[in-house]
Amino acid sequence: MKLSQFSLVLALLCLASAETLANERVTVIRAGTVVTGTGETLSPGEVVIEDGKITLVGSQLEIPDNAKIIDARNQTLMPGLVLAKTSQGLLGSRVSGVSCDQTVLNRWVNSEMDWEAFVEAGFVAAAFIPAGSGFHGQAIVVHTDPNAEDRILRESVYLPLTVTGYSSLHRTIQKAFDGARGEIEKVKKAREKWEKEQEEAKKKAEEEKKKASEKDAKADSKEEKKKEEPKEFKAPEIRPSLKPLVDILEEKSSAMPMMVTVVNPGAILHVDTALADVKELSDRDPQAVFALPGSRNGAFHKVVDQLIDRKATVLIPPGLSALPDTLVRYHTPAALSRGGCQVITLPRSDNASGMRDLPGYLAEQVRYGMSKEDAIASLTTAPAKFLGLEERLGTIEEGKDAHLILLNGSLLDPGVRVMKTMISGEVVWDREDR
Amino acid sequence: MIEIRKLTALLAFVIVFTDLPVIPGGFSLTESISEAQDPPRRRRGRRGRPTPPPQPEPEQEEKEVVASKSDDKYVVVKGATIHTVTGGTHRNGTLICKNGKIYQISAGPVDAPEGAEIIEAEGHHVYPGLVAFRSSGLVGSGEAEKSQDPYDLDTTMGLAAGITATWNGSRVTKLVHGSLDDLTIRPKSFSSINYSFRNPRGRKELRQAFDRVQEHLRALERHAEEKKEDPEAKPPEDKWIKGIFAVVRSLLTGESKALVRARTMADIREYSALARKYGFEIVFEGAEEGWIDPGVLSRTGASAVISPRARVDANNDLNRESGSSIENAKMLHDAGVPLVIIPQSTGIALWGLAGRDLSHLPLEAAFAVRGGLPEQVAIEAITIEPARLLGVADRVGSLEVGKDADFIITDGDLLSYMTLVRWAIVNGKVQYDKEKEGILDHIRPDGDLDAPPPADHWPRRLGDPL
């Protein structure tokens, strides 16, 4: 992509003067308000985009004459929203058991995906996982430009584990890590065997050498060089469905974090005990990324303190619920956020309308005690950080990708709408065109 | 003959129910009578049970407790009436737990060790945690550590009823809220056999199975003898022992007891006859008509798991006694039958409104008292007796030094209809606190009988939202 862009630029250079071209590549958004996401709000503000990247953020900037200007003086510019977990529009059956290698790449038809729904709701990036239970695959993050061919932002992002029952959870975790341990053992044995072979070969060579020197002390040294080079150790292939778990056991830096989807608070304790039963994991930090259900999550008030203690990252749809068997209202996301958990907001239903309705619920989170900054971060910086893309997404800062949205007000205003969605500086969705 | 049987039962009863030292002569007399009448493996009445370990004398004087390591965790219950169930009752006693075990039971006040968690329980009563012989939904199935919902409301409801341990069908499990540690006490299984009138063929097959396995066991004994002389003697073939034969073998070797549901006296007689003939231990569930001839159960050495409030209409077609009786528990007890009491519904249903579920286990026992059962026996029937039957009497079921610190603190006499559990302690940790759980906190808050219910008592409150 980059290469082709570059060659295109080279070709154009031959035709036009460099100066004009440079100015044409520059896009400037003039917005009434710029919510940068770093704690700074500019009103009015300007953002300069060059080559799909943000190059300058400020107000009253000097703007080259030829730059393309998007005039949005009555609108709010903010970083595009990031969806941390979705399985929308995927084909094929649900994945179950231990299948860490599964991705969505063979589970969608790009042309048939409803990317419009994402950009209409202001989502510029989304982490896709195959639906299922157990270790049902790994997440990939894509951007949502409807017309793009190559949309992957990051692969092997996290490892979802979906809990259906306590007993099956214990079985799945045991089976998965027993399998991973078996793979490690396999490689170890192969290495031992190889080392043994090497030693034997060495001995043999030495013996032969001795013999040869006894036989003919004046033998050519060239002959020795002919000897076989020592074979490189070739590790046996680790089963792809277990590879990510092997990485976790071996504490590789590339190991994906696990993200556990639970439906009731008891599952969090069961995940802890099940992982503690895995010898290698018993003294690691407790599991700290959970996806909670959207409805009836008041039951989770029992584990809010525990989640806060471990500074957990919690993916949770917004919404007010009640303490179990009472009419006492309880807002789990707000309680978690105020306690210091990293809250990432998910749509209440994993479809177009769920995404479209999200801003209203976000306002509700603030109403029930989440700070405005945290509410907005729960759809921008928090998911970007969780997905390992904080260098590219989540805020409006110099050097970041120009995945931006223009709203007709603050994201927390009632009735707020996405007016324009930009991916890499290009407007991919415009309400005026509808 | 009948005289002798009565005498036997009486002797057995006297030996167990009085704290008299066992007279060897008397014991061997009963033994010889039973030997003469019955096959050798036969067990009688309460004598077959292991005698409980000797009770340590409660400390009378104020005694200093030596605080040893600082990481020891002490819980001290002060000023309560302590009902140990197996070792008497102490007014204004002190109960000290150390690291989840009962460390000391004193009849008077005792200085608490440093850093101890102190429960001021003046005017309250301490009982061992109740043991529900059976339950559904209170704890997870199978290995509870891998199946229980640690935040299940039914667990809390069970604790609110005073239950701290129960049998889930395969394991004796503690009721613990919000934790998955130390749940299972130990596995326990009963054998189930069907000797029903409705299935004559099945009855015959069962008898044949008993005969065949009995013959096999004798052959094994002979083999053991032979082996002394001829080390190469071959043991009898036992590959055929599976299915019903394995069940029968576990019964005949005493590895397990038979658990049968028998309501009518006719059923009880049939099963008892089978148990006496082959000499295995049997536990009757139900036994609503047991009062008609309780001697049958005591002669068989059977235990009974009964629901005193269960009702069976008399059968008017019969010209003899039938149906349930309020005196059932008393009469079985008088005959020397170990009693376990359990409500008819073994779950937590309708928020306990129906009153016949596990949230009212003590009331079920109280109903037996209404029919003449001594109070002490009624309490034993929901604590130490089920613990013995489930094989966990060394851990739970009574307050003894060294046993698990599983107990309840109630605001009155356990069998009173007014009494509610104030605290339930399991493994030395407070698992239920009436004033903190929003289940019964609005009823007589802080034990004040005259206090009006709080204005907002509906909806119930589960603590303030954050």
Side-chain angles (χ1 to χ4, degrees), chain B residues 9-20 22 45-47 49 332-339 373-374 376-378 380 385 388:
Chain B
L10 191 67
L11 269 173
F13 170 70
V14 165
I15 288 162
V16 173
F17 275 89
T18 58
D19 280 335
L20 291 176
V22 177
R46 309 193 135 207
R47 221 183 45 225
R49 272 189 284 108
L332 287 170
H333 168 68
D334 286 351
V337 179
L339 285 184
L373 191 71
Q376 168 69 15
V377 181
E380 283 174 12
E385 284 298 347
R388 279 177 187 147

PDB file of all heavy atoms in Angstrom, chain B residues 9-20 22 45-47 49 332-339 373-374 376-378 380 385 388:
ATOM      1  N   ALA B   9     -32.564 -54.320  72.391  1.00  0.00           N
ATOM      2  CA  ALA B   9     -32.751 -52.939  71.979  1.00  0.00           C
ATOM      3  C   ALA B   9     -32.590 -52.021  73.183  1.00  0.00           C
ATOM      4  O   ALA B   9     -31.944 -50.974  73.114  1.00  0.00           O
ATOM      5  CB  ALA B   9     -34.139 -52.776  71.368  1.00  0.00           C
ATOM      6  N   LEU B  10     -33.170 -52.434  74.290  1.00  0.00           N
ATOM      7  CA  LEU B  10     -33.120 -51.624  75.497  1.00  0.00           C
ATOM      8  C   LEU B  10     -31.679 -51.463  75.968  1.00  0.00           C
ATOM      9  O   LEU B  10     -31.236 -50.354  76.281  1.00  0.00           O
ATOM     10  CB  LEU B  10     -33.957 -52.312  76.588  1.00  0.00           C
ATOM     11  CG  LEU B  10     -34.225 -51.454  77.819  1.00  0.00           C
ATOM     12  CD1 LEU B  10     -35.128 -50.278  77.461  1.00  0.00           C
ATOM     13  CD2 LEU B  10     -34.824 -52.297  78.935  1.00  0.00           C
ATOM     14  N   LEU B  11     -30.960 -52.571  75.945  1.00  0.00           N
ATOM     15  CA  LEU B  11     -29.569 -52.525  76.381  1.00  0.00           C
ATOM     16  C   LEU B  11     -28.764 -51.573  75.490  1.00  0.00           C
ATOM     17  O   LEU B  11     -28.028 -50.730  75.981  1.00  0.00           O
ATOM     18  CB  LEU B  11     -28.953 -53.930  76.336  1.00  0.00           C
ATOM     19  CG  LEU B  11     -29.074 -54.715  77.639  1.00  0.00           C
ATOM     20  CD1 LEU B  11     -28.597 -56.130  77.409  1.00  0.00           C
ATOM     21  CD2 LEU B  11     -28.285 -54.061  78.750  1.00  0.00           C
ATOM     22  N   ALA B  12     -28.982 -51.764  74.222  1.00  0.00           N
ATOM     23  CA  ALA B  12     -28.266 -50.907  73.273  1.00  0.00           C
ATOM     24  C   ALA B  12     -28.585 -49.452  73.554  1.00  0.00           C
ATOM     25  O   ALA B  12     -27.723 -48.585  73.582  1.00  0.00           O
ATOM     26  CB  ALA B  12     -28.667 -51.266  71.850  1.00  0.00           C
ATOM     27  N   PHE B  13     -29.836 -49.216  73.816  1.00  0.00           N
ATOM     28  CA  PHE B  13     -30.294 -47.858  74.079  1.00  0.00           C
ATOM     29  C   PHE B  13     -29.636 -47.299  75.340  1.00  0.00           C
ATOM     30  O   PHE B  13     -29.122 -46.194  75.362  1.00  0.00           O
ATOM     31  CB  PHE B  13     -31.813 -47.900  74.225  1.00  0.00           C
ATOM     32  CG  PHE B  13     -32.394 -46.623  74.718  1.00  0.00           C
ATOM     33  CD1 PHE B  13     -32.402 -45.500  73.908  1.00  0.00           C
ATOM     34  CD2 PHE B  13     -32.917 -46.521  75.985  1.00  0.00           C
ATOM     35  CE1 PHE B  13     -32.932 -44.319  74.357  1.00  0.00           C
ATOM     36  CE2 PHE B  13     -33.440 -45.345  76.432  1.00  0.00           C
ATOM     37  CZ  PHE B  13     -33.453 -44.229  75.614  1.00  0.00           C
ATOM     38  N   VAL B  14     -29.650 -48.138  76.386  1.00  0.00           N
ATOM     39  CA  VAL B  14     -29.104 -47.699  77.668  1.00  0.00           C
ATOM     40  C   VAL B  14     -27.624 -47.368  77.508  1.00  0.00           C
ATOM     41  O   VAL B  14     -27.140 -46.338  77.962  1.00  0.00           O
ATOM     42  CB  VAL B  14     -29.312 -48.797  78.733  1.00  0.00           C
ATOM     43  CG1 VAL B  14     -28.435 -48.513  79.954  1.00  0.00           C
ATOM     44  CG2 VAL B  14     -30.771 -48.847  79.131  1.00  0.00           C
ATOM     45  N   ILE B  15     -26.944 -48.229  76.785  1.00  0.00           N
ATOM     46  CA  ILE B  15     -25.500 -48.045  76.645  1.00  0.00           C
ATOM     47  C   ILE B  15     -25.204 -46.712  75.969  1.00  0.00           C
ATOM     48  O   ILE B  15     -24.332 -45.962  76.385  1.00  0.00           O
ATOM     49  CB  ILE B  15     -24.895 -49.213  75.848  1.00  0.00           C
ATOM     50  CG1 ILE B  15     -24.900 -50.453  76.729  1.00  0.00           C
ATOM     51  CG2 ILE B  15     -23.479 -48.890  75.412  1.00  0.00           C
ATOM     52  CD1 ILE B  15     -24.752 -51.729  75.971  1.00  0.00           C
ATOM     53  N   VAL B  16     -25.965 -46.382  74.952  1.00  0.00           N
ATOM     54  CA  VAL B  16     -25.644 -45.180  74.212  1.00  0.00           C
ATOM     55  C   VAL B  16     -26.198 -43.937  74.887  1.00  0.00           C
ATOM     56  O   VAL B  16     -25.555 -42.911  74.939  1.00  0.00           O
ATOM     57  CB  VAL B  16     -26.168 -45.310  72.782  1.00  0.00           C
ATOM     58  CG1 VAL B  16     -25.991 -43.989  72.054  1.00  0.00           C
ATOM     59  CG2 VAL B  16     -25.438 -46.429  72.077  1.00  0.00           C
ATOM     60  N   PHE B  17     -27.381 -44.043  75.416  1.00  0.00           N
ATOM     61  CA  PHE B  17     -28.044 -42.818  75.864  1.00  0.00           C
ATOM     62  C   PHE B  17     -27.771 -42.405  77.293  1.00  0.00           C
ATOM     63  O   PHE B  17     -28.202 -41.358  77.730  1.00  0.00           O
ATOM     64  CB  PHE B  17     -29.556 -42.949  75.648  1.00  0.00           C
ATOM     65  CG  PHE B  17     -29.893 -42.572  74.271  1.00  0.00           C
ATOM     66  CD1 PHE B  17     -29.895 -43.523  73.275  1.00  0.00           C
ATOM     67  CD2 PHE B  17     -30.094 -41.244  73.934  1.00  0.00           C
ATOM     68  CE1 PHE B  17     -30.147 -43.167  71.992  1.00  0.00           C
ATOM     69  CE2 PHE B  17     -30.349 -40.903  72.647  1.00  0.00           C
ATOM     70  CZ  PHE B  17     -30.385 -41.861  71.680  1.00  0.00           C
ATOM     71  N   THR B  18     -27.126 -43.239  78.014  1.00  0.00           N
ATOM     72  CA  THR B  18     -26.677 -42.768  79.312  1.00  0.00           C
ATOM     73  C   THR B  18     -25.173 -42.704  79.214  1.00  0.00           C
ATOM     74  O   THR B  18     -24.567 -43.388  78.399  1.00  0.00           O
ATOM     75  CB  THR B  18     -27.088 -43.749  80.415  1.00  0.00           C
ATOM     76  OG1 THR B  18     -26.535 -45.018  80.096  1.00  0.00           O
ATOM     77  CG2 THR B  18     -28.591 -43.868  80.511  1.00  0.00           C
ATOM     78  N   ASP B  19     -24.602 -41.877  80.026  1.00  0.00           N
ATOM     79  CA  ASP B  19     -23.158 -41.755  79.960  1.00  0.00           C
ATOM     80  C   ASP B  19     -22.458 -42.792  80.848  1.00  0.00           C
ATOM     81  O   ASP B  19     -21.338 -42.608  81.269  1.00  0.00           O
ATOM     82  CB  ASP B  19     -22.725 -40.344  80.345  1.00  0.00           C
ATOM     83  CG  ASP B  19     -22.903 -39.424  79.164  1.00  0.00           C
ATOM     84  OD1 ASP B  19     -22.876 -39.927  78.015  1.00  0.00           O
ATOM     85  OD2 ASP B  19     -23.062 -38.228  79.362  1.00  0.00           O
ATOM     86  N   LEU B  20     -23.212 -43.870  81.134  1.00  0.00           N
ATOM     87  CA  LEU B  20     -22.623 -44.926  81.956  1.00  0.00           C
ATOM     88  C   LEU B  20     -21.436 -45.525  81.225  1.00  0.00           C
ATOM     89  O   LEU B  20     -21.447 -45.634  80.003  1.00  0.00           O
ATOM     90  CB  LEU B  20     -23.653 -46.040  82.187  1.00  0.00           C
ATOM     91  CG  LEU B  20     -24.837 -45.692  83.084  1.00  0.00           C
ATOM     92  CD1 LEU B  20     -25.786 -46.881  83.121  1.00  0.00           C
ATOM     93  CD2 LEU B  20     -24.343 -45.384  84.488  1.00  0.00           C
ATOM     94  N   VAL B  22     -19.377 -48.375  79.697  1.00  0.00           N
ATOM     95  CA  VAL B  22     -19.868 -49.623  79.113  1.00  0.00           C
ATOM     96  C   VAL B  22     -19.379 -50.789  79.957  1.00  0.00           C
ATOM     97  O   VAL B  22     -18.189 -50.922  80.244  1.00  0.00           O
ATOM     98  CB  VAL B  22     -19.359 -49.753  77.670  1.00  0.00           C
ATOM     99  CG1 VAL B  22     -19.808 -51.077  77.097  1.00  0.00           C
ATOM    100  CG2 VAL B  22     -19.868 -48.610  76.844  1.00  0.00           C
ATOM    101  N   GLY B  45     -28.559 -51.537  66.055  1.00  0.00           N
ATOM    102  CA  GLY B  45     -28.860 -50.268  66.714  1.00  0.00           C
ATOM    103  C   GLY B  45     -27.702 -49.307  66.672  1.00  0.00           C
ATOM    104  O   GLY B  45     -26.974 -49.209  65.692  1.00  0.00           O
ATOM    105  N   ARG B  46     -27.537 -48.629  67.731  1.00  0.00           N
ATOM    106  CA  ARG B  46     -26.539 -47.578  67.751  1.00  0.00           C
ATOM    107  C   ARG B  46     -25.169 -48.115  68.104  1.00  0.00           C
ATOM    108  O   ARG B  46     -24.212 -47.377  68.149  1.00  0.00           O
ATOM    109  CB  ARG B  46     -26.931 -46.524  68.764  1.00  0.00           C
ATOM    110  CG  ARG B  46     -28.340 -46.046  68.567  1.00  0.00           C
ATOM    111  CD  ARG B  46     -28.552 -44.829  69.364  1.00  0.00           C
ATOM    112  NE  ARG B  46     -29.242 -43.882  68.522  1.00  0.00           N
ATOM    113  CZ  ARG B  46     -29.141 -42.586  68.677  1.00  0.00           C
ATOM    114  NH1 ARG B  46     -28.376 -42.106  69.602  1.00  0.00           N
ATOM    115  NH2 ARG B  46     -29.789 -41.781  67.895  1.00  0.00           N
ATOM    116  N   ARG B  47     -25.109 -49.398  68.453  1.00  0.00           N
ATOM    117  CA  ARG B  47     -23.850 -49.899  68.933  1.00  0.00           C
ATOM    118  C   ARG B  47     -22.806 -49.959  67.813  1.00  0.00           C
ATOM    119  O   ARG B  47     -21.622 -49.870  68.064  1.00  0.00           O
ATOM    120  CB  ARG B  47     -24.052 -51.270  69.547  1.00  0.00           C
ATOM    121  CG  ARG B  47     -23.269 -51.473  70.797  1.00  0.00           C
ATOM    122  CD  ARG B  47     -23.484 -52.866  71.292  1.00  0.00           C
ATOM    123  NE  ARG B  47     -23.381 -53.787  70.176  1.00  0.00           N
ATOM    124  CZ  ARG B  47     -24.237 -54.763  69.978  1.00  0.00           C
ATOM    125  NH1 ARG B  47     -25.261 -54.928  70.777  1.00  0.00           N
ATOM    126  NH2 ARG B  47     -24.096 -55.577  68.958  1.00  0.00           N
ATOM    127  N   ARG B  49     -22.167 -47.902  65.584  1.00  0.00           N
ATOM    128  CA  ARG B  49     -21.506 -46.645  65.219  1.00  0.00           C
ATOM    129  C   ARG B  49     -20.232 -46.426  66.020  1.00  0.00           C
ATOM    130  O   ARG B  49     -20.148 -46.851  67.179  1.00  0.00           O
ATOM    131  CB  ARG B  49     -22.447 -45.472  65.490  1.00  0.00           C
ATOM    132  CG  ARG B  49     -23.332 -45.198  64.303  1.00  0.00           C
ATOM    133  CD  ARG B  49     -24.082 -43.914  64.513  1.00  0.00           C
ATOM    134  NE  ARG B  49     -25.175 -44.110  65.445  1.00  0.00           N
ATOM    135  CZ  ARG B  49     -25.154 -43.625  66.669  1.00  0.00           C
ATOM    136  NH1 ARG B  49     -24.109 -42.962  67.103  1.00  0.00           N
ATOM    137  NH2 ARG B  49     -26.186 -43.812  67.455  1.00  0.00           N
ATOM    138  N   LEU B 332     -39.819 -43.749  67.076  1.00  0.00           N
ATOM    139  CA  LEU B 332     -38.580 -44.299  66.492  1.00  0.00           C
ATOM    140  C   LEU B 332     -37.418 -44.091  67.452  1.00  0.00           C
ATOM    141  O   LEU B 332     -36.604 -44.977  67.670  1.00  0.00           O
ATOM    142  CB  LEU B 332     -38.293 -43.632  65.147  1.00  0.00           C
ATOM    143  CG  LEU B 332     -39.199 -44.036  63.991  1.00  0.00           C
ATOM    144  CD1 LEU B 332     -38.969 -43.133  62.788  1.00  0.00           C
ATOM    145  CD2 LEU B 332     -38.969 -45.492  63.591  1.00  0.00           C
ATOM    146  N   HIS B 333     -37.371 -42.897  68.040  1.00  0.00           N
ATOM    147  CA  HIS B 333     -36.277 -42.602  68.978  1.00  0.00           C
ATOM    148  C   HIS B 333     -36.356 -43.515  70.196  1.00  0.00           C
ATOM    149  O   HIS B 333     -35.342 -44.057  70.649  1.00  0.00           O
ATOM    150  CB  HIS B 333     -36.342 -41.149  69.408  1.00  0.00           C
ATOM    151  CG  HIS B 333     -35.451 -40.840  70.564  1.00  0.00           C
ATOM    152  ND1 HIS B 333     -34.082 -40.874  70.466  1.00  0.00           N
ATOM    153  CD2 HIS B 333     -35.724 -40.557  71.863  1.00  0.00           C
ATOM    154  CE1 HIS B 333     -33.550 -40.596  71.636  1.00  0.00           C
ATOM    155  NE2 HIS B 333     -34.533 -40.404  72.510  1.00  0.00           N
ATOM    156  N   ASP B 334     -37.565 -43.692  70.724  1.00  0.00           N
ATOM    157  CA  ASP B 334     -37.720 -44.548  71.898  1.00  0.00           C
ATOM    158  C   ASP B 334     -37.262 -45.972  71.613  1.00  0.00           C
ATOM    159  O   ASP B 334     -36.794 -46.676  72.496  1.00  0.00           O
ATOM    160  CB  ASP B 334     -39.192 -44.558  72.353  1.00  0.00           C
ATOM    161  CG  ASP B 334     -39.560 -43.243  73.025  1.00  0.00           C
ATOM    162  OD1 ASP B 334     -38.632 -42.436  73.267  1.00  0.00           O
ATOM    163  OD2 ASP B 334     -40.750 -43.021  73.290  1.00  0.00           O
ATOM    164  N   ALA B 335     -37.395 -46.378  70.355  1.00  0.00           N
ATOM    165  CA  ALA B 335     -36.968 -47.729  69.992  1.00  0.00           C
ATOM    166  C   ALA B 335     -35.464 -47.790  69.734  1.00  0.00           C
ATOM    167  O   ALA B 335     -34.932 -48.870  69.473  1.00  0.00           O
ATOM    168  CB  ALA B 335     -37.731 -48.203  68.761  1.00  0.00           C
ATOM    169  N   GLY B 336     -34.810 -46.630  69.755  1.00  0.00           N
ATOM    170  CA  GLY B 336     -33.363 -46.622  69.580  1.00  0.00           C
ATOM    171  C   GLY B 336     -32.911 -46.430  68.147  1.00  0.00           C
ATOM    172  O   GLY B 336     -31.768 -46.750  67.797  1.00  0.00           O
ATOM    173  N   VAL B 337     -33.784 -45.898  67.325  1.00  0.00           N
ATOM    174  CA  VAL B 337     -33.405 -45.674  65.927  1.00  0.00           C
ATOM    175  C   VAL B 337     -32.728 -44.304  65.811  1.00  0.00           C
ATOM    176  O   VAL B 337     -33.302 -43.306  66.229  1.00  0.00           O
ATOM    177  CB  VAL B 337     -34.650 -45.720  65.006  1.00  0.00           C
ATOM    178  CG1 VAL B 337     -34.265 -45.463  63.565  1.00  0.00           C
ATOM    179  CG2 VAL B 337     -35.355 -47.048  65.149  1.00  0.00           C
ATOM    180  N   PRO B 338     -31.507 -44.239  65.276  1.00  0.00           N
ATOM    181  CA  PRO B 338     -30.890 -42.923  65.056  1.00  0.00           C
ATOM    182  C   PRO B 338     -31.734 -42.115  64.083  1.00  0.00           C
ATOM    183  O   PRO B 338     -32.095 -42.607  63.005  1.00  0.00           O
ATOM    184  CB  PRO B 338     -29.533 -43.255  64.448  1.00  0.00           C
ATOM    185  CG  PRO B 338     -29.312 -44.694  64.716  1.00  0.00           C
ATOM    186  CD  PRO B 338     -30.653 -45.329  64.802  1.00  0.00           C
ATOM    187  N   LEU B 339     -32.001 -40.860  64.446  1.00  0.00           N
ATOM    188  CA  LEU B 339     -32.910 -40.046  63.642  1.00  0.00           C
ATOM    189  C   LEU B 339     -32.186 -38.884  62.989  1.00  0.00           C
ATOM    190  O   LEU B 339     -31.353 -38.229  63.621  1.00  0.00           O
ATOM    191  CB  LEU B 339     -34.000 -39.452  64.528  1.00  0.00           C
ATOM    192  CG  LEU B 339     -35.106 -40.369  64.993  1.00  0.00           C
ATOM    193  CD1 LEU B 339     -36.126 -39.550  65.770  1.00  0.00           C
ATOM    194  CD2 LEU B 339     -35.784 -41.044  63.810  1.00  0.00           C
ATOM    195  N   LEU B 373     -40.700 -35.851  70.978  1.00  0.00           N
ATOM    196  CA  LEU B 373     -39.253 -36.089  70.914  1.00  0.00           C
ATOM    197  C   LEU B 373     -38.546 -35.113  71.862  1.00  0.00           C
ATOM    198  O   LEU B 373     -38.872 -33.940  71.874  1.00  0.00           O
ATOM    199  CB  LEU B 373     -38.773 -35.871  69.473  1.00  0.00           C
ATOM    200  CG  LEU B 373     -37.354 -36.312  69.144  1.00  0.00           C
ATOM    201  CD1 LEU B 373     -37.265 -37.828  69.132  1.00  0.00           C
ATOM    202  CD2 LEU B 373     -36.928 -35.762  67.792  1.00  0.00           C
ATOM    203  N   PRO B 374     -37.595 -35.593  72.663  1.00  0.00           N
ATOM    204  CA  PRO B 374     -36.864 -34.653  73.517  1.00  0.00           C
ATOM    205  C   PRO B 374     -36.144 -33.593  72.673  1.00  0.00           C
ATOM    206  O   PRO B 374     -35.662 -33.892  71.580  1.00  0.00           O
ATOM    207  CB  PRO B 374     -35.846 -35.547  74.237  1.00  0.00           C
ATOM    208  CG  PRO B 374     -36.364 -36.927  74.108  1.00  0.00           C
ATOM    209  CD  PRO B 374     -37.153 -36.980  72.854  1.00  0.00           C
ATOM    210  N   GLN B 376     -33.275 -32.167  73.009  1.00  0.00           N
ATOM    211  CA  GLN B 376     -31.872 -32.470  72.733  1.00  0.00           C
ATOM    212  C   GLN B 376     -31.751 -33.398  71.527  1.00  0.00           C
ATOM    213  O   GLN B 376     -30.902 -33.211  70.650  1.00  0.00           O
ATOM    214  CB  GLN B 376     -31.244 -33.098  73.989  1.00  0.00           C
ATOM    215  CG  GLN B 376     -29.877 -33.723  73.803  1.00  0.00           C
ATOM    216  CD  GLN B 376     -28.787 -32.679  73.541  1.00  0.00           C
ATOM    217  OE1 GLN B 376     -28.976 -31.497  73.762  1.00  0.00           O
ATOM    218  NE2 GLN B 376     -27.658 -33.151  73.045  1.00  0.00           N
ATOM    219  N   VAL B 377     -32.634 -34.391  71.471  1.00  0.00           N
ATOM    220  CA  VAL B 377     -32.582 -35.346  70.354  1.00  0.00           C
ATOM    221  C   VAL B 377     -32.974 -34.657  69.046  1.00  0.00           C
ATOM    222  O   VAL B 377     -32.375 -34.919  67.993  1.00  0.00           O
ATOM    223  CB  VAL B 377     -33.514 -36.548  70.638  1.00  0.00           C
ATOM    224  CG1 VAL B 377     -33.451 -37.542  69.498  1.00  0.00           C
ATOM    225  CG2 VAL B 377     -33.155 -37.206  71.946  1.00  0.00           C
ATOM    226  N   ALA B 378     -33.930 -33.749  69.143  1.00  0.00           N
ATOM    227  CA  ALA B 378     -34.339 -33.024  67.936  1.00  0.00           C
ATOM    228  C   ALA B 378     -33.176 -32.210  67.392  1.00  0.00           C
ATOM    229  O   ALA B 378     -32.961 -32.136  66.178  1.00  0.00           O
ATOM    230  CB  ALA B 378     -35.529 -32.124  68.248  1.00  0.00           C
ATOM    231  N   GLU B 380     -29.975 -32.874  67.950  1.00  0.00           N
ATOM    232  CA  GLU B 380     -29.006 -33.835  67.411  1.00  0.00           C
ATOM    233  C   GLU B 380     -29.408 -34.280  66.006  1.00  0.00           C
ATOM    234  O   GLU B 380     -28.556 -34.516  65.151  1.00  0.00           O
ATOM    235  CB  GLU B 380     -28.916 -35.065  68.324  1.00  0.00           C
ATOM    236  CG  GLU B 380     -28.096 -34.833  69.584  1.00  0.00           C
ATOM    237  CD  GLU B 380     -28.141 -36.024  70.531  1.00  0.00           C
ATOM    238  OE1 GLU B 380     -28.613 -37.099  70.107  1.00  0.00           O
ATOM    239  OE2 GLU B 380     -27.721 -35.855  71.682  1.00  0.00           O
ATOM    240  N   GLU B 385     -26.307 -36.101  64.174  1.00  0.00           N
ATOM    241  CA  GLU B 385     -26.764 -37.343  63.549  1.00  0.00           C
ATOM    242  C   GLU B 385     -26.567 -37.355  62.031  1.00  0.00           C
ATOM    243  O   GLU B 385     -26.009 -38.301  61.493  1.00  0.00           O
ATOM    244  CB  GLU B 385     -28.222 -37.633  63.909  1.00  0.00           C
ATOM    245  CG  GLU B 385     -28.436 -38.168  65.317  1.00  0.00           C
ATOM    246  CD  GLU B 385     -27.757 -39.511  65.570  1.00  0.00           C
ATOM    247  OE1 GLU B 385     -27.313 -40.158  64.604  1.00  0.00           O
ATOM    248  OE2 GLU B 385     -27.650 -39.887  66.743  1.00  0.00           O
ATOM    249  N   ARG B 388     -22.966 -37.842  61.396  1.00  0.00           N
ATOM    250  CA  ARG B 388     -22.516 -39.227  61.556  1.00  0.00           C
ATOM    251  C   ARG B 388     -22.922 -40.059  60.341  1.00  0.00           C
ATOM    252  O   ARG B 388     -22.126 -40.817  59.788  1.00  0.00           O
ATOM    253  CB  ARG B 388     -23.163 -39.835  62.803  1.00  0.00           C
ATOM    254  CG  ARG B 388     -22.459 -39.440  64.075  1.00  0.00           C
ATOM    255  CD  ARG B 388     -23.199 -40.019  65.262  1.00  0.00           C
ATOM    256  NE  ARG B 388     -22.638 -39.507  66.506  1.00  0.00           N
ATOM    257  CZ  ARG B 388     -23.349 -39.287  67.607  1.00  0.00           C
ATOM    258  NH1 ARG B 388     -24.644 -39.551  67.618  1.00  0.00           N
ATOM    259  NH2 ARG B 388     -22.763 -38.830  68.683  1.00  0.00           N
TER     260      ARG B 388
END
